[in-house]
Each structure stands twice: as structure tokens, then as C-alpha cells.
Amino acid sequence: MSKKELQRLSTLALRQRKAHLLRTLSLPPEAIHASFLERFLQCGRPNCHCHQGEKHGPFFYLSRCLPKRQMRTLLLKEPAQILQGRRSVEAYQELLESLDQLSWINWELLRRGSPLQTQ
Ligand SMILES: [Zn+2]
């Protein structure tokens, strides 16, 4: 739910959403903060078909941007590794979205002068 949509909810509804989030939120053990990338690449052999349009791949990577324009990449080779990489990135994203939802609910409760810690 966006901030705008949350603003239209009653304080009771906000509190119910928050209680539900707090009940269901848990740290996903497999979470990885990265982007999951699928790439088709050209190789260095000048006469290879990949230079005529049919590139090699797909190759699967995790990549993570770091400060100062640094980047970490991890090539995923085995199918199980690729699947796990995809799931781990999704798990991290879902956790982030839940946290952000909690943050917006608290923002809205604070704006209304409503206590953030209850029960
Ligand atoms: Zn090639």
C-alpha cells in the first residue's frame, strides 16, 4: 500500500495493518541484498556466431553496488545456485517492502499524534 492509500485509512485500520505486519515479519534466513541479472554476452573470438546476433547465454549473476562506484558480482553457475540466488534477492526485497510499509504506517500515526507503541 502506498503512503497516499495509507493516509485514507482510519487510525484503527492503520493499527490493524501494523499489528499484522509485526505478527508476520521475520528475518528471511536466505536474504541477499543484490540485483539478480540475466545477461547474453559476446565472446572474444572474432568469427563466433555471437557477433552476428546470437549471443552466448543466458548467464545469471548477482550484483551489488557499493560506495565509490564499486560493484560486486557473483556468477551463478549451477541451476540450484541460480534458483537460490533469485529467491534470496526476492526474500530481501519482500523484507524491505514490509519494513517500508511499517515505516509509512508509523509516519502516518506520528502525523496524527497517535502513539506508535501500544498494547
Ligand atoms: Zn561467441
Side-chain angles (χ1 to χ4, degrees):
M1 226 180 200
S2 72
K3 171 161 172 22
K4 281 227 161 93
E5 290 167 319
L6 288 171
Q7 274 179 331
R8 286 190 221 109
L9 294 180
S10 68
T11 299
L12 177 62
L14 285 176
R15 292 206 175 287
Q16 284 168 342
R17 286 190 74 87
K18 177 173 170 172
H20 175 75
L21 267 176
L22 292 175
R23 267 199 313 276
T24 54
L25 255 185
S26 63
L27 281 180
E30 62 190 352
I32 295 178
H33 180 185
S35 301
F36 181 90
L37 302 176
E38 184 179 338
R39 288 279 180 271
F40 292 84
L41 302 171
Q42 289 180 330
C43 69
R45 287 174 294 156
N47 297 323
C48 182
H49 61 79
C50 69
H51 294 279
Q52 315 307 324
E54 199 197 325
K55 295 180 180 176
H56 301 282
F59 297 100
F60 297 94
Y61 295 86
L62 293 188
S63 95
R64 169 96 194 255
C65 291
L66 299 171
K68 299 176 187 168
R69 294 184 157 200
Q70 283 184 303
M71 174 99 91
R72 286 286 142 76
T73 59
L74 171 63
L75 176 63
L76 304 167
K77 294 170 189 160
E78 303 302 322
Q81 231 185 354
I82 293 166
L83 188 64
Q84 183 62 70
R86 193 193 292 271
R87 280 187 184 154
S88 290
V89 169
E90 281 170 3
Y92 188 88
Q93 287 304 323
E94 282 164 20
L95 176 66
L96 263 197
E97 280 161 28
S98 296
L99 265 185
D100 198 51
Q101 194 73 189
L102 176 65
S103 171
W104 279 126
I105 290 170
N106 283 334
W107 174 293
E108 185 57 21
L109 289 172
L110 184 65
R111 196 181 67 80
R112 294 178 190 188
S114 191
L116 299 192
Q117 303 230 30
T118 51
Q119 290 115 40

PDB file of all heavy atoms in Angstrom, residues 89-107:
ATOM      1  N   VAL A  89      17.278 -12.887  -3.443  1.00  0.00           N
ATOM      2  CA  VAL A  89      17.071 -11.478  -3.780  1.00  0.00           C
ATOM      3  C   VAL A  89      15.606 -11.101  -3.537  1.00  0.00           C
ATOM      4  O   VAL A  89      15.302 -10.040  -2.990  1.00  0.00           O
ATOM      5  CB  VAL A  89      17.497 -11.203  -5.237  1.00  0.00           C
ATOM      6  CG1 VAL A  89      17.042  -9.830  -5.703  1.00  0.00           C
ATOM      7  CG2 VAL A  89      19.009 -11.335  -5.366  1.00  0.00           C
ATOM      8  N   GLU A  90      14.691 -12.000  -3.923  1.00  0.00           N
ATOM      9  CA  GLU A  90      13.257 -11.743  -3.691  1.00  0.00           C
ATOM     10  C   GLU A  90      12.951 -11.645  -2.204  1.00  0.00           C
ATOM     11  O   GLU A  90      12.182 -10.785  -1.775  1.00  0.00           O
ATOM     12  CB  GLU A  90      12.401 -12.868  -4.298  1.00  0.00           C
ATOM     13  CG  GLU A  90      12.235 -12.735  -5.799  1.00  0.00           C
ATOM     14  CD  GLU A  90      11.595 -13.974  -6.425  1.00  0.00           C
ATOM     15  OE1 GLU A  90      11.226 -14.915  -5.674  1.00  0.00           O
ATOM     16  OE2 GLU A  90      11.487 -14.006  -7.651  1.00  0.00           O
ATOM     17  N   ALA A  91      13.561 -12.531  -1.418  1.00  0.00           N
ATOM     18  CA  ALA A  91      13.309 -12.538   0.028  1.00  0.00           C
ATOM     19  C   ALA A  91      13.753 -11.217   0.640  1.00  0.00           C
ATOM     20  O   ALA A  91      13.075 -10.651   1.507  1.00  0.00           O
ATOM     21  CB  ALA A  91      14.040 -13.711   0.689  1.00  0.00           C
ATOM     22  N   TYR A  92      14.891 -10.721   0.187  1.00  0.00           N
ATOM     23  CA  TYR A  92      15.389  -9.440   0.697  1.00  0.00           C
ATOM     24  C   TYR A  92      14.430  -8.316   0.320  1.00  0.00           C
ATOM     25  O   TYR A  92      14.093  -7.460   1.148  1.00  0.00           O
ATOM     26  CB  TYR A  92      16.788  -9.151   0.151  1.00  0.00           C
ATOM     27  CG  TYR A  92      17.425  -7.948   0.787  1.00  0.00           C
ATOM     28  CD1 TYR A  92      18.174  -8.065   1.950  1.00  0.00           C
ATOM     29  CD2 TYR A  92      17.254  -6.683   0.231  1.00  0.00           C
ATOM     30  CE1 TYR A  92      18.738  -6.957   2.554  1.00  0.00           C
ATOM     31  CE2 TYR A  92      17.813  -5.566   0.827  1.00  0.00           C
ATOM     32  CZ  TYR A  92      18.554  -5.705   1.982  1.00  0.00           C
ATOM     33  OH  TYR A  92      19.104  -4.611   2.572  1.00  0.00           O
ATOM     34  N   GLN A  93      13.978  -8.324  -0.941  1.00  0.00           N
ATOM     35  CA  GLN A  93      13.062  -7.281  -1.413  1.00  0.00           C
ATOM     36  C   GLN A  93      11.747  -7.282  -0.629  1.00  0.00           C
ATOM     37  O   GLN A  93      11.215  -6.226  -0.291  1.00  0.00           O
ATOM     38  CB  GLN A  93      12.765  -7.465  -2.906  1.00  0.00           C
ATOM     39  CG  GLN A  93      13.926  -7.085  -3.821  1.00  0.00           C
ATOM     40  CD  GLN A  93      14.411  -5.659  -3.605  1.00  0.00           C
ATOM     41  OE1 GLN A  93      13.617  -4.759  -3.344  1.00  0.00           O
ATOM     42  NE2 GLN A  93      15.712  -5.464  -3.667  1.00  0.00           N
ATOM     43  N   GLU A  94      11.221  -8.485  -0.372  1.00  0.00           N
ATOM     44  CA  GLU A  94       9.963  -8.575   0.373  1.00  0.00           C
ATOM     45  C   GLU A  94      10.121  -8.044   1.793  1.00  0.00           C
ATOM     46  O   GLU A  94       9.235  -7.365   2.320  1.00  0.00           O
ATOM     47  CB  GLU A  94       9.459 -10.023   0.391  1.00  0.00           C
ATOM     48  CG  GLU A  94       8.804 -10.396  -0.938  1.00  0.00           C
ATOM     49  CD  GLU A  94       8.653 -11.903  -1.117  1.00  0.00           C
ATOM     50  OE1 GLU A  94       8.700 -12.641  -0.117  1.00  0.00           O
ATOM     51  OE2 GLU A  94       8.512 -12.319  -2.286  1.00  0.00           O
ATOM     52  N   LEU A  95      11.250  -8.355   2.401  1.00  0.00           N
ATOM     53  CA  LEU A  95      11.513  -7.842   3.746  1.00  0.00           C
ATOM     54  C   LEU A  95      11.578  -6.314   3.725  1.00  0.00           C
ATOM     55  O   LEU A  95      10.987  -5.645   4.566  1.00  0.00           O
ATOM     56  CB  LEU A  95      12.830  -8.419   4.282  1.00  0.00           C
ATOM     57  CG  LEU A  95      13.259  -7.880   5.650  1.00  0.00           C
ATOM     58  CD1 LEU A  95      12.280  -8.303   6.722  1.00  0.00           C
ATOM     59  CD2 LEU A  95      14.664  -8.338   5.988  1.00  0.00           C
ATOM     60  N   LEU A  96      12.274  -5.780   2.730  1.00  0.00           N
ATOM     61  CA  LEU A  96      12.383  -4.328   2.601  1.00  0.00           C
ATOM     62  C   LEU A  96      11.014  -3.687   2.432  1.00  0.00           C
ATOM     63  O   LEU A  96      10.723  -2.645   3.028  1.00  0.00           O
ATOM     64  CB  LEU A  96      13.222  -3.969   1.382  1.00  0.00           C
ATOM     65  CG  LEU A  96      14.693  -3.652   1.556  1.00  0.00           C
ATOM     66  CD1 LEU A  96      15.205  -2.943   0.315  1.00  0.00           C
ATOM     67  CD2 LEU A  96      14.938  -2.810   2.784  1.00  0.00           C
ATOM     68  N   GLU A  97      10.166  -4.299   1.586  1.00  0.00           N
ATOM     69  CA  GLU A  97       8.835  -3.742   1.358  1.00  0.00           C
ATOM     70  C   GLU A  97       8.007  -3.748   2.632  1.00  0.00           C
ATOM     71  O   GLU A  97       7.290  -2.791   2.928  1.00  0.00           O
ATOM     72  CB  GLU A  97       8.114  -4.518   0.251  1.00  0.00           C
ATOM     73  CG  GLU A  97       8.577  -4.080  -1.133  1.00  0.00           C
ATOM     74  CD  GLU A  97       8.265  -5.104  -2.214  1.00  0.00           C
ATOM     75  OE1 GLU A  97       7.286  -5.859  -2.055  1.00  0.00           O
ATOM     76  OE2 GLU A  97       9.011  -5.148  -3.211  1.00  0.00           O
ATOM     77  N   SER A  98       8.112  -4.828   3.421  1.00  0.00           N
ATOM     78  CA  SER A  98       7.381  -4.895   4.686  1.00  0.00           C
ATOM     79  C   SER A  98       7.883  -3.831   5.652  1.00  0.00           C
ATOM     80  O   SER A  98       7.096  -3.171   6.325  1.00  0.00           O
ATOM     81  CB  SER A  98       7.538  -6.278   5.327  1.00  0.00           C
ATOM     82  OG  SER A  98       6.958  -7.253   4.496  1.00  0.00           O
ATOM     83  N   LEU A  99       9.182  -3.662   5.728  1.00  0.00           N
ATOM     84  CA  LEU A  99       9.765  -2.648   6.610  1.00  0.00           C
ATOM     85  C   LEU A  99       9.323  -1.255   6.194  1.00  0.00           C
ATOM     86  O   LEU A  99       9.008  -0.411   7.032  1.00  0.00           O
ATOM     87  CB  LEU A  99      11.291  -2.704   6.535  1.00  0.00           C
ATOM     88  CG  LEU A  99      12.022  -3.526   7.576  1.00  0.00           C
ATOM     89  CD1 LEU A  99      13.520  -3.352   7.397  1.00  0.00           C
ATOM     90  CD2 LEU A  99      11.611  -3.123   8.978  1.00  0.00           C
ATOM     91  N   ASP A 100       9.286  -1.033   4.890  1.00  0.00           N
ATOM     92  CA  ASP A 100       8.892   0.271   4.387  1.00  0.00           C
ATOM     93  C   ASP A 100       7.421   0.542   4.696  1.00  0.00           C
ATOM     94  O   ASP A 100       7.035   1.660   5.036  1.00  0.00           O
ATOM     95  CB  ASP A 100       9.144   0.333   2.875  1.00  0.00           C
ATOM     96  CG  ASP A 100       9.162   1.757   2.378  1.00  0.00           C
ATOM     97  OD1 ASP A 100       9.897   2.575   2.982  1.00  0.00           O
ATOM     98  OD2 ASP A 100       8.434   2.071   1.429  1.00  0.00           O
ATOM     99  N   GLN A 101       6.608  -0.498   4.594  1.00  0.00           N
ATOM    100  CA  GLN A 101       5.193  -0.392   4.937  1.00  0.00           C
ATOM    101  C   GLN A 101       5.033  -0.007   6.418  1.00  0.00           C
ATOM    102  O   GLN A 101       4.273   0.889   6.759  1.00  0.00           O
ATOM    103  CB  GLN A 101       4.526  -1.750   4.657  1.00  0.00           C
ATOM    104  CG  GLN A 101       3.042  -1.754   4.641  1.00  0.00           C
ATOM    105  CD  GLN A 101       2.420  -1.107   3.412  1.00  0.00           C
ATOM    106  OE1 GLN A 101       1.240  -0.927   3.385  1.00  0.00           O
ATOM    107  NE2 GLN A 101       3.194  -0.755   2.398  1.00  0.00           N
ATOM    108  N   LEU A 102       5.775  -0.698   7.274  1.00  0.00           N
ATOM    109  CA  LEU A 102       5.749  -0.385   8.706  1.00  0.00           C
ATOM    110  C   LEU A 102       6.160   1.072   8.937  1.00  0.00           C
ATOM    111  O   LEU A 102       5.526   1.794   9.710  1.00  0.00           O
ATOM    112  CB  LEU A 102       6.702  -1.324   9.457  1.00  0.00           C
ATOM    113  CG  LEU A 102       6.865  -1.056  10.952  1.00  0.00           C
ATOM    114  CD1 LEU A 102       5.551  -1.312  11.685  1.00  0.00           C
ATOM    115  CD2 LEU A 102       7.979  -1.905  11.534  1.00  0.00           C
ATOM    116  N   SER A 103       7.189   1.498   8.223  1.00  0.00           N
ATOM    117  CA  SER A 103       7.687   2.852   8.363  1.00  0.00           C
ATOM    118  C   SER A 103       6.621   3.884   7.976  1.00  0.00           C
ATOM    119  O   SER A 103       6.418   4.874   8.683  1.00  0.00           O
ATOM    120  CB  SER A 103       8.937   3.013   7.488  1.00  0.00           C
ATOM    121  OG  SER A 103       9.328   4.358   7.425  1.00  0.00           O
ATOM    122  N   TRP A 104       5.897   3.636   6.869  1.00  0.00           N
ATOM    123  CA  TRP A 104       4.863   4.580   6.439  1.00  0.00           C
ATOM    124  C   TRP A 104       3.684   4.598   7.409  1.00  0.00           C
ATOM    125  O   TRP A 104       3.077   5.651   7.646  1.00  0.00           O
ATOM    126  CB  TRP A 104       4.362   4.264   5.033  1.00  0.00           C
ATOM    127  CG  TRP A 104       5.251   4.782   3.943  1.00  0.00           C
ATOM    128  CD1 TRP A 104       5.783   4.062   2.917  1.00  0.00           C
ATOM    129  CD2 TRP A 104       5.701   6.128   3.751  1.00  0.00           C
ATOM    130  NE1 TRP A 104       6.551   4.864   2.111  1.00  0.00           N
ATOM    131  CE2 TRP A 104       6.521   6.145   2.599  1.00  0.00           C
ATOM    132  CE3 TRP A 104       5.511   7.311   4.443  1.00  0.00           C
ATOM    133  CZ2 TRP A 104       7.135   7.296   2.122  1.00  0.00           C
ATOM    134  CZ3 TRP A 104       6.129   8.467   3.966  1.00  0.00           C
ATOM    135  CH2 TRP A 104       6.921   8.450   2.830  1.00  0.00           C
ATOM    136  N   ILE A 105       3.333   3.454   7.939  1.00  0.00           N
ATOM    137  CA  ILE A 105       2.250   3.409   8.933  1.00  0.00           C
ATOM    138  C   ILE A 105       2.650   4.233  10.156  1.00  0.00           C
ATOM    139  O   ILE A 105       1.873   5.061  10.653  1.00  0.00           O
ATOM    140  CB  ILE A 105       1.916   1.954   9.326  1.00  0.00           C
ATOM    141  CG1 ILE A 105       1.236   1.240   8.144  1.00  0.00           C
ATOM    142  CG2 ILE A 105       1.028   1.908  10.560  1.00  0.00           C
ATOM    143  CD1 ILE A 105       1.076  -0.262   8.330  1.00  0.00           C
ATOM    144  N   ASN A 106       3.878   4.050  10.634  1.00  0.00           N
ATOM    145  CA  ASN A 106       4.349   4.813  11.789  1.00  0.00           C
ATOM    146  C   ASN A 106       4.411   6.310  11.478  1.00  0.00           C
ATOM    147  O   ASN A 106       4.075   7.140  12.322  1.00  0.00           O
ATOM    148  CB  ASN A 106       5.724   4.301  12.235  1.00  0.00           C
ATOM    149  CG  ASN A 106       5.602   3.002  13.008  1.00  0.00           C
ATOM    150  OD1 ASN A 106       4.571   2.722  13.620  1.00  0.00           O
ATOM    151  ND2 ASN A 106       6.653   2.200  12.979  1.00  0.00           N
ATOM    152  N   TRP A 107       4.835   6.627  10.265  1.00  0.00           N
ATOM    153  CA  TRP A 107       4.865   8.028   9.811  1.00  0.00           C
ATOM    154  C   TRP A 107       3.484   8.653   9.954  1.00  0.00           C
ATOM    155  O   TRP A 107       3.318   9.737  10.510  1.00  0.00           O
ATOM    156  CB  TRP A 107       5.331   8.049   8.356  1.00  0.00           C
ATOM    157  CG  TRP A 107       5.296   9.372   7.662  1.00  0.00           C
ATOM    158  CD1 TRP A 107       4.182  10.096   7.338  1.00  0.00           C
ATOM    159  CD2 TRP A 107       6.417  10.125   7.210  1.00  0.00           C
ATOM    160  NE1 TRP A 107       4.544  11.236   6.687  1.00  0.00           N
ATOM    161  CE2 TRP A 107       5.908  11.283   6.592  1.00  0.00           C
ATOM    162  CE3 TRP A 107       7.798   9.916   7.235  1.00  0.00           C
ATOM    163  CZ2 TRP A 107       6.737  12.247   6.018  1.00  0.00           C
ATOM    164  CZ3 TRP A 107       8.615  10.872   6.663  1.00  0.00           C
ATOM    165  CH2 TRP A 107       8.093  12.019   6.071  1.00  0.00           C
TER     166      TRP A 107
END
